[in-house]
Structure formats: C-alpha cells, structure tokens
C-alpha cells in the first residue's frame, strides 16, 4: 500500500515542488541559482490579474453552491418515485460526456446565432439576422457557471443517490411527517445533513475543478480578462523561457486561491449549520416550501436539458449543408464534412489507447491494493481516512498548479511527450474514481465464498479469477466505463504532459471550437462523445446478457 501511495502521490508533490522553487526564482537550468521575488513581481504586474482572480472566485463558488442546492432539491423531489429511476438512466451517459463537449453544445445552442435563437426567430423575437449584442459567452462568467452546472448537478445527484441507498430515508420522512413537518423540512433537517457528510470529498473536488477549469473556460468564459487558470495557461507557451518562472508563481497563486476558497467554504459550513440548528430547534414546519420543490427541481434540471439540446445542435451542425439565419433547420444536409473525420482516426486511436491503458493500470493497482491489504484498513475511521487522502490529491489540487511543475520535471528527464508519462498521469486522475467504486465492492464481497473454495483445494489464483472477479463484475464494468470517460475528458494533462507530440480527439475538439468552424467542431465533439458512449452501451449490454438470470444483478443495473 505504501508503495502504491508513493507511486501515485509523489507526482503531485513533485509537481508542486516544481512550481514552488521556480516561483521564488530558483531554476538552475536557466542559470537562476538564487532566490528572488522577481517572478512574483512580473506575474503580479499582469494586466487584469485582480479581475481574473475575482472571476475565478465568483464562477467556481457560485457554480458549486448552485450545483449543491439544485442536486439536493432534485433528490428531495424525485428520490421516492419512478422519476428517479428514469433520471438515473439518463445521468449515467450525461456525466460521461467531457466538459468541453458540453461547452461546445451550449455554444451551438445559446449563442446569438445559435439553434435556440433560430427556433424562436423571427416570429417571437423579430430578428431576421443574428443580434449584434453577445450574451453567450457573457462578460460576467454566467455562461461558464451554466456549463459547469450542466456537468456538476448530475454528478452530485448520482453521488447523493449512492449515499441515500445507505440511509433509512423513508423511515425518517415518515417520522418527520408524523410530527407535522412538511416534506421539504424533513429533507432539510433530517436527511440532507446526513447526505452532506458523505459527499464532502466529491463536493471539494467539484469546488476545486470549478475554480481552476481550463477547457470549458476557454470556450465559455470571458476573455478580457479570463479566469486565473486560463490566464496562466495562455502564458505557458511564451517564447521567452524565463516567463516560466512567473508562470510558476501564477500556478502557486492558483493553489492559494483554491485553499482560500476551501477555507471560506468551511466557514460557510459552520454558519449554515448554526442556521439549520436554529430553524430546527425553533420548530419551523416549512409547509409552504413543499409547493416550491417541484418548481425548483425543474429549474435544477434545466442545465441538463440544455446540455442534451446542445448535443442535438452538435449533431445538426455536423451534417448541415447551408444553414442561414433565421432558418430553424438546415436548408440542406450533407455528409461532406465527415470526409475530414478520416483525418481524425489517428487522434481517435490515440484517445482509445490512452484511455484503456490508463484505466487498465489504475484497475490493476486498485485491485492489488484491495486484495492484498487487510480488510480493516479499508473501513472508515480517522486513520484510514488520512491514509486514503493522498489518493484523492489529483482531484483536490488544481491541475494547472502541479502539472506545470511535473512538465518541467519530465522535460528535464526527457520524458515529456512519451506514452509512458501520459498513461501514468492519466491513471493518476482515474485512480480516485476507481478506488471509490471498487473499495466498497471488495469490502462487501462475502469472504465465505473464498473460504469454501479454499476448503475444496482451490488455490489463491483460481479463487481470485474464477470466484471473486465474477462476483465483482458489475463494479468492475462500471469502473472501466468511468475510467475511460475520465481519460477522454482530460484536456490540460494531455496538453502539458503530451507536449504536443501526442494529440487526442479532445485537444482537437477544443482547437476546432475556438477556431469558429461549427461543422468541424461538431464532428470532433461527436467523436469525443462517441468513445464513452460506446463503452457505456457495451457495458450495459454485456451485463444484461451475462447476468440476465440473476434478479439481484438486474436490480443493481436498473
């Protein structure tokens, strides 16, 4: 276990050291052997820096607060009816779609010349040509917040549903209703505090991602100034190599922004918990809030609906011939744009190879740790919690803050742009998700099956591959799906560690979207979305065929 922790946590720590030392002027390779504040002064003099920091704070914290609020509202409204079952089937594919694909879809849908405006023009708006004022992307970061909500609300709903499965939800609601409380009050005072305790770590990952997102911000955030992470990212490739010292200070500043935001979030937790305690002890029934729950849930589902409509807009643009404003549908359809998709087959191959290699590596590591370490190590207690924390470091530290230092280290060792380095870094980001899925599955696997097989003379190899793995087929299949989805969505790690020598369909999609060619960007976005979708469908079909006669497995898949 210690070896695995070192293997997968040392890059984060090394990457942080790799940005901290250059940020204070120490970089012997550039002839900078002393310490100075010159890099800090250079970066602080960047025009618009304070606005960039405020924009990062506003978009990251607002998106996280709204995602938490609306995910809880949807859970409170739908948790005990059939709608949640249908919602679960929709959310699985939706969270597998990369952030950049969601951003491209929203651009195609919500810009002044987007599909939504075409659907209502000119009858409702009077516009016979695209309006000149731009509201998407907007100068205040609201477009970026909407894009983040489309991805983070379904993620938190799924995490919340997993937690609800371990709680006596129905019994708690009945007890609250019998005391005269409304449904909203029962959820607010009895259930949501229990759920919140279990989702603090995923919520922290959502907050960190919102504060330091790059790919979605390149498409949806304002450009003058951009958020802090984009500002740092845009100066990395400066021709003057000494600029890397000031960029390192920017990466440290991004880390400081995230730490400050987490501290503010914890202060907010304390204040909100006191308010909850006051309202609960005062006996507020909140009966009127029951009428608002369905309305708020509908508002909470709106970003996801827009994301799905955005996917349809992507599909339309990829096959549109001529499509002049304000026509609601293309004037003609053509497959001519897809001829260029042949050029993207190598990129598609790179993405698939990278995703499955990194997922396979992370799976082997997690299964080895779960199988070889004592079962009590996995149980939730303060010690194991601290020991597991390093596994989640890649999700809790801003990507731009440690990957830039890691890129410097790889360049020094001539490992940048190699497949080994890229697969290893992708596995760093996949491993926490696979650990979260497989660790409980290994813990709850009944050890008596293994004991019975051992008494029949079966060796450890046979027992693991022929008894334990079939029992864990469902979480293993879901782990592969999640791992591939995470790898396909990684933009900054692929760009920095790949050093331009390993190109993927995700990098190409962002480049084409920022280039303004809707048809070409649509094709790249569809190919980017295609890989996790094929994996998802394959997993579901294989599980159905393999376990269709096992009623317990069918319930799990539903």
């Amino acid at each position: 276990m210690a070896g695995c922790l070192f293997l997968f946590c040392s890059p984060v720590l090394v990457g942080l050291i790799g940005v901290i030392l250059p940020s204070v002027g120490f970089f012997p390779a550039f002839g900078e052997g002393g310490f100075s504040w010159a890099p800090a002064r250079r970066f602080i003099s960047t025009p618009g820096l304070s606005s960039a920091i405020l924009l990062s704070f506003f978009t990251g914290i607002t998106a996280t607060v709204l995602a938490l609020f609306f995910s809880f509202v949807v859970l409170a409204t739908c948790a005990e009816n059939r709608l949640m079952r249908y919602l679960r089937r929709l959310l699985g594919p939706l969270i597998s779609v990369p952030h950049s694909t969601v951003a491209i879809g929203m651009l195609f849908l919500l810009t002044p010349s987007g599909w939504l405006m075409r659907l209502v023009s000119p009858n409702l708006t009077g516009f016979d040509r695209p309006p000149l004022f731009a509201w998407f992307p907007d100068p205040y970061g609201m477009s970026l917040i909407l894009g983040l909500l489309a991805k983070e609300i379904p993620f938190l709903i799924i995490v919340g549903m997993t937690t609800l499965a371990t709680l006596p939800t129905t019994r708690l609601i009945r007890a609250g209703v019998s005391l005269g409380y409304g449904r909203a009050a029962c959820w607010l005072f009895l259930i949501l505090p229990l759920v919140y305790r279990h989702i603090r770590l995923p919520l922290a990952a959502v907050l960190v991602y919102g504060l330091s997102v790059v790919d979605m911000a390149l498409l949806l955030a304002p450009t003058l100034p951009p958020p802090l992470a984009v500002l740092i990212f845009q100066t990395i490739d400066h021709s003057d190599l000494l600029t890397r010292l000031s960029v390192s200070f920017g990466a440290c500043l991004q880390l400081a922004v995230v730490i400050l935001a987490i501290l503010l979030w914890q202060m907010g937790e304390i204040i909100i918990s006191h308010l909850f305690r006051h309202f609960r002890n005062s006996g507020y029934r909140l009966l009127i809030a029951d009428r608002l729950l369905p309305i708020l849930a509908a508002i909470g589902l709106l970003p996801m609906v827009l994301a799905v409509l955005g996917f349809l807009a992507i599909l339309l643009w990829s096959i549109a011939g001529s499509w002049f404003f304000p026509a609601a549908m293309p004037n003609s359809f053509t497959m001519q744009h897809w001829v260029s998709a042949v050029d993207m087959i190598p990129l598609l191959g790179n993405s698939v190879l990278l995703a499955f290699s990194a997922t396979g590596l992370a799976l082997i590591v997690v299964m080895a740790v779960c199988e070889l370490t004592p079962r009590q190590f996995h149980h939730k207690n303060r010690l194991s919690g601290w020991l597991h924390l390093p596994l989640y470091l890649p999700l809790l530290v801003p990507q731009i803050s440690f990957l830039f230092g890691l890129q410097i280290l790889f360049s020094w060792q001539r490992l940048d742009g190699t497949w080994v380095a890229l697969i290893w870094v992708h596995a760093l980001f996949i491993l926490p998700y696979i650990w979260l899925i497989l660790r409980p599955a290994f813990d709850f696997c009944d050890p008596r099956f293994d004991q019975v097989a051992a008494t029949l003379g079966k060796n450890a190899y046979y027992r693991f591959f022929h008894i334990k793995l079939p029992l864990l087929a469902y979480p293993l299949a879901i782990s592969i799906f999640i791992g591939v989805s995470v790898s396909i969505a990684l933009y900054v790690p692929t760009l920095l560690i790949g050093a331009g020598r390993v190109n993927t369909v995700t990098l190409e999609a962002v480049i084409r979207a920022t280039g303004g060619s809707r048809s070409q960007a649509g094709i790249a976005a569809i190919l980017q979305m295609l890989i996790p979708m094929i994996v998802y469908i394959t997993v579901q079909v294989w599980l159905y065929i393999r376990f269709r006669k096992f009623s317990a497995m069918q319930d799990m898949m539903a």
Side-chain angles (χ1 to χ4, degrees):
M1 180 68 186
C4 289
L5 288 177
F6 176 78
L7 181 66
F8 282 89
C9 303
S10 57
V12 179
L13 302 178
V14 170
L16 289 176
I17 294 171
V19 294
I20 291 173
L21 290 180
S23 71
V24 292
F26 183 81
F27 204 123
F30 292 168
E32 301 287 340
F35 295 96
S36 76
W37 290 107
R41 286 195 295 270
R42 277 199 298 270
F43 191 80
I44 290 173
S45 64
T46 304
L49 178 62
S50 57
S51 301
I53 293 173
L54 290 176
L55 183 63
S56 296
F57 262 115
F58 174 68
T59 53
I61 292 179
T62 305
T64 308
V65 170
L66 292 178
L68 178 65
F69 173 75
F70 284 119
S71 60
F72 276 179
V73 168
V74 173
L75 285 173
T77 307
C78 309
E80 293 179 299
N81 55 46
R82 288 185 177 181
L83 183 60
M84 185 54 74
R85 174 169 289 194
Y86 299 125
L87 202 57
R88 187 201 299 264
R89 291 175 178 170
L90 173 67
L91 296 183
L94 189 57
I95 63 169
S96 71
V97 178
H99 285 76
S100 54
T101 307
V102 173
I104 293 170
M106 287 199 165
L107 278 177
F108 288 4
L109 182 70
L110 298 175
T111 51
S113 60
W115 191 30
L116 195 59
M117 179 57 78
R118 292 165 187 256
L119 288 173
V120 297
S121 297
N123 296 332
L124 297 181
T125 63
F127 295 129
D128 56 1
R129 62 187 62 185
L132 296 178
F133 48 93
W135 61 77
F136 198 92
D138 66 295
Y140 308 106
M142 304 304 292
S143 307
L144 178 59
I145 292 173
L146 182 62
L148 288 170
L149 288 178
K151 282 292 294 178
E152 308 305 0
I153 289 176
F155 173 68
L156 291 178
I157 289 176
I158 285 187
V159 174
M161 284 194 295
T162 307
T163 304
L164 284 176
T166 66
L167 298 175
T169 309
T170 305
R171 187 156 53 86
L172 288 172
I173 292 178
R174 286 176 181 170
V177 171
S178 66
L179 294 174
Y181 288 88
R183 181 181 180 81
C186 294
W187 275 87
L188 194 62
F189 297 144
L190 299 178
I191 299 173
L192 295 186
L194 300 176
V195 175
Y196 186 81
R197 290 177 192 170
H198 290 82
I199 67 168
R200 291 184 72 191
L201 184 63
L203 193 61
V206 169
L207 177 62
V208 172
Y209 186 83
L211 288 163
S212 57
V213 61
V214 172
D215 52 353
M216 188 174 267
L218 282 171
L219 300 172
L220 299 183
T223 54
L224 291 175
L228 179 59
V230 177
L231 188 66
I232 299 167
F233 186 75
Q234 288 173 340
T235 50
I236 283 179
D237 291 329
H238 198 282
S239 56
D240 184 4
L241 292 179
L242 286 177
T243 307
R244 289 181 168 248
L245 303 184
S246 57
V247 172
S248 298
F249 180 81
C252 294
L253 187 60
Q254 176 70 68
L255 181 63
V257 166
V258 168
I259 292 173
L260 180 59
I262 291 176
L263 291 176
L264 289 175
W265 188 272
Q266 290 185 333
M267 290 175 59
E269 282 182 351
I270 295 172
I271 295 172
I272 296 294
S273 66
H274 280 291
L275 288 175
F276 269 36
R277 194 174 299 119
H278 168 73
F279 284 123
R280 187 173 58 224
N281 295 340
S282 301
Y284 286 97
R285 265 44 178 180
L286 302 179
L287 295 175
I288 194 171
D290 289 358
R291 300 176 185 175
L292 297 176
L293 274 181
I295 301 172
L296 292 173
I299 297 173
L301 294 175
L302 185 60
M304 291 178 275
V305 174
L306 292 176
V308 174
L309 289 175
F311 302 152
L312 294 177
I314 289 174
L315 182 62
L316 280 178
W317 274 109
S318 69
I319 56 175
S322 57
W323 192 358
F324 300 104
F325 193 90
M329 296 296 288
N331 304 99
S332 62
F333 293 94
T334 177
M335 297 301 291
Q336 186 66 31
H337 306 308
W338 280 91
V339 175
S340 66
V342 177
D343 300 333
M344 296 185 66
I345 290 177
L347 309 184
L348 206 59
N350 288 347
S351 298
V352 172
L353 179 61
L354 188 57
F356 280 96
S357 302
T359 303
L361 177 61
L363 264 179
I364 292 171
V365 171
V366 171
M367 285 195 296
V369 172
C370 291
E371 184 65 14
L372 299 178
T373 54
R375 181 176 290 250
Q376 58 270 21
F377 177 81
H378 307 152
H379 291 171
K380 289 183 178 179
N381 56 53
R382 190 178 293 273
L383 176 61
S384 66
W386 281 106
L387 287 175
H388 292 157
L389 185 61
L391 291 171
Y392 305 114
L393 275 182
L395 304 183
L396 300 177
V397 177
Q399 295 179 5
I400 199 75
S401 295
F402 77 92
L403 285 174
F404 182 55
L406 205 58
Q407 184 201 31
I408 294 174
L409 175 68
F410 283 153
S411 300
W412 180 35
Q413 295 297 320
R414 299 184 178 181
L415 287 172
D416 59 322
T418 62
W419 278 94
V420 173
L422 204 51
I423 290 171
W424 184 36
V425 169
H426 272 235
L428 287 178
F429 291 94
I430 296 171
L431 189 134
Y433 295 99
I434 293 183
W435 176 262
L436 285 172
I437 297 170
L438 283 189
R439 182 186 58 84
F442 268 81
D443 287 347
F444 287 109
C445 190
D446 195 336
R448 289 175 295 182
F449 291 107
D450 189 74
Q451 294 165 1
V452 169
T455 59
L456 295 175
K458 303 298 182 185
N459 57 34
Y461 172 84
Y462 184 93
R463 298 199 303 271
F464 180 74
F465 284 98
H466 294 274
I467 295 176
K468 181 164 281 188
L469 285 191
L471 290 172
L472 298 172
Y474 182 76
L476 282 172
I478 296 302
S479 298
I480 292 172
F481 163 61
I482 296 294
V484 170
S485 302
V486 171
S487 176
I488 294 296
L490 291 176
Y491 175 76
V492 176
T494 309
L495 189 63
L496 290 184
I497 306 302
R501 294 171 212 159
V502 180
N503 202 0
T504 64
V505 70
T506 301
L507 302 184
E508 189 68 18
V510 175
I511 292 171
R512 294 191 178 195
T514 52
S517 172
R518 287 187 174 177
S519 56
Q520 298 300 317
I523 291 169
I526 288 175
L527 293 178
Q528 188 187 16
M529 198 167 35
L530 204 59
I531 302 171
M533 286 297 173
I534 290 175
V535 174
Y536 179 78
I537 293 170
T538 305
V539 163
Q540 292 294 328
V541 170
W542 181 79
L543 287 173
Y544 175 77
I545 294 174
R546 177 66 180 82
F547 298 105
R548 64 182 182 276
K549 295 181 180 177
F550 297 81
S551 59
M553 295 292 287
Q554 293 298 321
D555 293 342
M556 201 182 297
M557 285 184 279

